[in-house]
Amino acid sequence: MKRYLVIAFLLVYQAGMGQRVLFVAAGQSNSVGQGDAAQSVKTAHGWEYRSQGDSLARLLDPVGENALDFQRANTGSAWPAFAARYFERTGREVVLVPAARGGSSCHEKAELGDMGTWYPTGRKPLFENAILKVQQAERKTGLKTAGIIWLQGERDANAIFDQKMTPAEYEQALEELITRFRSRLGRPVPFYIVLTGNQDGREPIGNEAVRKAQQSVAKRLPDVQVVYEDTPLFPAQKRMKDFVHYGQDALNEIGRVVAEKVK
């Protein structure tokens, strides 16, 4: 009798997981989220994977955890809004793997202090920890990653502005990062890019170069898509929290729009 109860539980659990989809949110501080949890969307239809405890928790801000060199939202993020809209559109619940660190660079040349880099080498490489967390989440849920959502570029934009690296080097690093994700996960996981915004009060030379590189990679690589383009408008719209971070209203919009475009 006990054996049949266990089997029944596993069947119900697996059926429930069939109504869920696993996404990764990676990048730097605007992916972490620097908004306001009080203004974040509340949803009962999202989950986040936490490496600490190998557990699932409701996807409510502040999303994320300070573990594996990744960070928790301070205090609001785009991800509850993403999960809410995705459920409205598809009827499936999001399981999110937050894997972002403030100030992290895509290219090693742009790495600043201990803020980390997504490049294979550097003072604090982040890629291997991201793979570890994603693989843990896949084992926990029995789901394969449906897509990686990428919000990153301000650190490299500053390095380009300061002539410490070139736009071509950022573009090559981004393309290689996508290739590494797909190689390690064993399949051509879709890669979704939120274009890098501008920094309030700073000439957007570097930011424009990063956006052009992101758009170029999306045009050339299969299953790479720009899913949000209006971030450069945020400073003029007074939707910034500070000179570089998006306010909660902007984060909520990013989440909603991205959820309408991902598969």
Side-chain angles (χ1 to χ4, degrees):
M1 181 67 176
K2 193 178 289 186
R3 180 186 174 198
Y4 292 121
L5 288 173
V6 170
I7 293 172
F9 171 80
L10 289 173
L11 288 173
V12 170
Y13 179 79
Q14 290 170 353
M17 283 299 174
Q19 299 303 311
R20 295 177 179 176
V21 59
L22 186 72
F23 286 99
V24 179
Q28 61 180 107
S29 55
N30 280 315
S31 183
V32 174
Q34 302 292 319
D36 182 352
Q39 300 173 27
S40 178
V41 171
K42 306 298 186 290
T43 179
H45 300 294
W47 303 84
E48 70 164 286
Y49 174 76
R50 293 181 179 170
S51 59
Q52 298 179 108
D54 187 31
S55 61
L56 295 179
R58 285 291 182 184
L59 187 65
L60 298 170
D61 273 321
V63 168
E65 57 182 336
N66 295 314
L68 296 176
D69 292 328
F70 302 123
Q71 296 171 328
R72 189 183 191 197
N74 182 32
T75 59
S77 71
W79 309 121
F82 170 75
R85 180 65 188 119
Y86 191 84
F87 182 79
E88 288 175 354
R89 184 171 74 84
T90 69
R92 293 184 291 169
E93 293 187 332
V94 166
V95 179
L96 188 80
V97 183
R101 181 176 177 84
S104 57
S105 69
C106 192
H107 196 289
E108 180 184 19
K109 287 185 177 181
E111 187 179 13
L112 188 64
D114 68 348
M115 292 182 176
T117 183
W118 291 90
Y119 209 67
T121 56
R123 291 182 291 278
K124 190 189 290 290
L126 300 173
F127 177 77
E128 290 299 329
N129 280 353
I131 292 296
L132 173 62
K133 190 171 185 181
V134 172
Q135 290 175 337
Q136 289 173 336
E138 290 186 338
R139 284 194 298 269
K140 178 69 175 179
T141 62
L143 302 171
K144 295 294 186 182
T145 302
I148 298 167
I149 306 167
W150 182 251
L151 281 81
Q152 193 280 336
E154 291 88 353
R155 175 83 289 277
D156 297 80
N158 287 342
I160 291 169
F161 182 85
D162 294 333
Q163 298 184 341
K164 293 182 178 179
M165 60 179 284
T166 67
E169 286 175 317
Y170 175 82
E171 184 170 338
Q172 181 180 6
L174 179 59
E175 181 172 344
E176 290 176 353
L177 175 66
I178 297 169
T179 300
R180 281 186 283 127
F181 264 120
R182 291 173 169 177
S183 175
R184 291 297 299 278
L185 295 177
R187 58 197 179 280
V189 178
F191 198 90
Y192 302 109
I193 299 173
V194 175
L195 289 185
T196 298
N198 291 333
Q199 297 171 57
D200 205 2
R202 185 178 182 125
E203 287 294 321
I205 297 169
N207 304 72
E208 290 171 351
V210 164
R211 286 194 292 275
K212 287 179 181 177
Q214 292 168 337
Q215 291 166 326
S216 175
V217 169
K219 288 179 181 177
R220 287 188 291 101
L221 294 189
D223 288 318
V224 178
Q225 181 182 354
V226 172
V227 288
Y228 191 88
E229 300 179 346
D230 290 344
T231 47
L233 304 177
F234 291 162
Q237 294 173 343
K238 307 299 182 185
R239 301 175 78 185
M240 304 288 288
K241 178 180 179 180
D242 53 40
F243 78 102
V244 68
H245 297 120
Y246 310 146
Q248 191 60 48
D249 174 65
L251 290 168
N252 289 343
E253 179 179 292
I254 289 171
R256 287 193 300 270
V257 173
V258 172
E260 292 168 359
K261 294 186 177 181
V262 300
K263 296 177 183 177

